[in-house]
Amino acid sequence: MATEQDIIKDAQETWANSNEKRFDSKGYVDTVEDNLRKCLSDSARKAFERGAGSEPKKHMRALHSSSALAANFFDYWTDRNKISLLRAMGIDADSAKSLNFEAQFPTGLGGTPPHLDVAIKLNSCCTVAIECKFTEPFQRSTKGKSEFVKSYFPSSGGLWTQVGLPECQRLAEELCKNPRMFEYLDPGQLLKHALGLATQVGDQFSLYYLYYDGIGERSESHKKEVVCFNDRVGDEIRFKALTYQDVFCKIKESEAVDPEYREYLDYLGARYFNSHSLVKR
């Protein structure tokens, strides 16, 4: 029986075939450009190149790439007025200073800091931090999830507590003892983002979780875990979970006059939100 992940990959391959995009047996196209609506903006390209995930060289070539979806969805807004995007995401702001990919908010620990998929800096100086997911939640695997190295729990005291996140501290400690509390959501990743954000900008942030919705048992289990995570720490980190489908439908309601706007919507609709995809309305 096909899983949500299988259906998404099949839909992406159908799109690639209909657009004469060549791909290998693992679903990787020949070049990054083949996987993008248009070439990355200069700021996005530089961000992905200096990021820790080798995205442009490898992962972004996958038809099911989460980073390619994020780039296709958000890079259009990099150098434009972002009011339609902000409204679609339920962000209470009239404008934004910037939109950046692979944003880093160091936790103060050594090693590579957590990389956020997208960070929107509002004119109020608040940061909307967005963690984006495509097929990842539909993989039943706890390997590498919710794991923390020892440095996250120094003898001097709780790192999350020190930056005003005591509920995050409690959840992190529970996950350290029982990393299999969640199967589909990666709460450890979100807690690390929260720690980095609180360390760098205090309470001037909101953490958004943007995921691609599906139909099936794994999707329903994932959504229940998102609710559980929100119940535990949502108020503390101003957490908000959204689906790509819902945000896309709300963007479509915008009356933007940019001549490229229709092409942007048509591309996203045909590739990610058509009848062959796992669309939830």
Side-chain angles (χ1 to χ4, degrees):
M1 182 175 179
T3 65
E4 290 97 327
Q5 185 180 18
D6 295 330
I7 297 172
I8 290 174
K9 288 184 176 181
D10 287 346
Q12 289 303 296
E13 291 181 2
T14 297
W15 170 84
N17 283 323
S18 65
N19 287 273
E20 299 182 344
K21 307 282 188 179
R22 297 191 310 174
F23 56 91
D24 62 21
S25 60
K26 293 183 178 180
Y28 283 71
V29 292
D30 292 341
T31 68
V32 172
E33 289 70 26
D34 287 336
N35 212 22
L36 299 174
R37 183 183 68 88
K38 62 181 300 182
C39 293
L40 294 171
S41 63
D42 287 343
S43 62
R45 176 181 54 79
K46 291 176 182 177
F48 282 115
E49 286 177 350
R50 66 172 176 263
S54 302
E55 297 296 346
K57 296 180 180 179
K58 182 179 180 182
H59 302 302
M60 199 176 278
R61 290 194 299 107
L63 289 167
H64 55 278
S65 164
S66 178
S67 58
L69 170 55
N72 285 325
F73 201 89
F74 285 101
D75 198 24
Y76 169 84
W77 304 97
T78 296
D79 298 318
R80 288 177 170 83
N81 187 306
K82 301 166 183 54
I83 185 62
S84 296
L85 174 65
L86 298 177
R87 288 176 177 172
M89 297 189 68
I91 299 170
D92 185 16
D94 294 329
S95 58
K97 289 183 178 180
S98 62
L99 185 155
N100 296 300
F101 292 91
E102 296 291 294
Q104 298 183 31
F105 294 87
T107 61
L109 301 174
T112 302
H115 283 56
L116 269 162
D117 292 311
V118 179
I120 301 175
K121 186 73 170 292
L122 304 178
N123 285 339
S124 64
C125 291
C126 288
T127 296
V128 177
I130 310 169
E131 179 61 31
C132 304
K133 300 297 181 187
F134 195 6
T135 64
E136 298 94 331
F138 307 127
Q139 304 172 34
R140 178 173 291 178
S141 172
T142 57
K143 183 178 180 181
K145 291 184 177 180
S146 305
E147 294 183 357
F148 298 96
V149 295
K150 291 183 179 180
S151 57
Y152 278 95
F153 301 97
S155 58
S156 58
L159 297 182
W160 285 270
T161 300
Q162 291 173 14
V163 292
L165 304 177
E167 296 304 320
C168 288
Q169 182 71 48
R170 292 187 184 94
L171 181 55
E173 290 172 354
E174 290 179 32
L175 289 167
C176 189
K177 296 176 181 177
N178 180 17
R180 296 180 179 272
M181 286 176 61
F182 294 78
E183 286 189 281
Y184 302 100
L185 181 71
D186 187 351
Q189 181 187 47
L190 295 173
L191 290 174
K192 291 172 184 176
H193 285 321
L195 177 61
L197 286 159
T199 300
Q200 297 302 320
V201 299
D203 63 355
Q204 298 299 299
F205 75 91
S206 296
L207 182 56
Y208 278 52
Y209 183 69
L210 181 65
Y211 65 95
Y212 192 85
D213 202 1
I215 302 172
E217 178 183 350
R218 296 185 179 188
S219 178
E220 293 305 312
S221 296
H222 169 249
K223 282 184 280 190
K224 289 178 181 178
E225 292 184 359
V226 171
V227 171
C228 179
F229 180 83
N230 182 58
D231 288 344
R232 292 292 303 271
V233 302
D235 289 343
E236 190 169 81
I237 60 175
R238 296 155 295 280
F239 181 76
K240 186 172 184 178
L242 300 168
T243 68
Y244 269 112
Q245 285 90 337
D246 284 344
V247 177
F248 174 71
C249 287
K250 290 176 181 176
I251 288 176
K252 286 178 65 177
E253 298 171 0
S254 169
E255 298 180 355
V257 295
D258 177 12
E260 194 178 334
Y261 186 65
R262 178 51 53 188
E263 187 274 333
Y264 162 74
L265 291 178
D266 288 346
Y267 178 94
L268 292 180
R271 179 166 182 180
Y272 298 109
F273 307 112
N274 60 27
S275 60
H276 299 290
S277 304
L278 295 175
V279 178
K280 282 288 194 72
R281 292 188 174 92

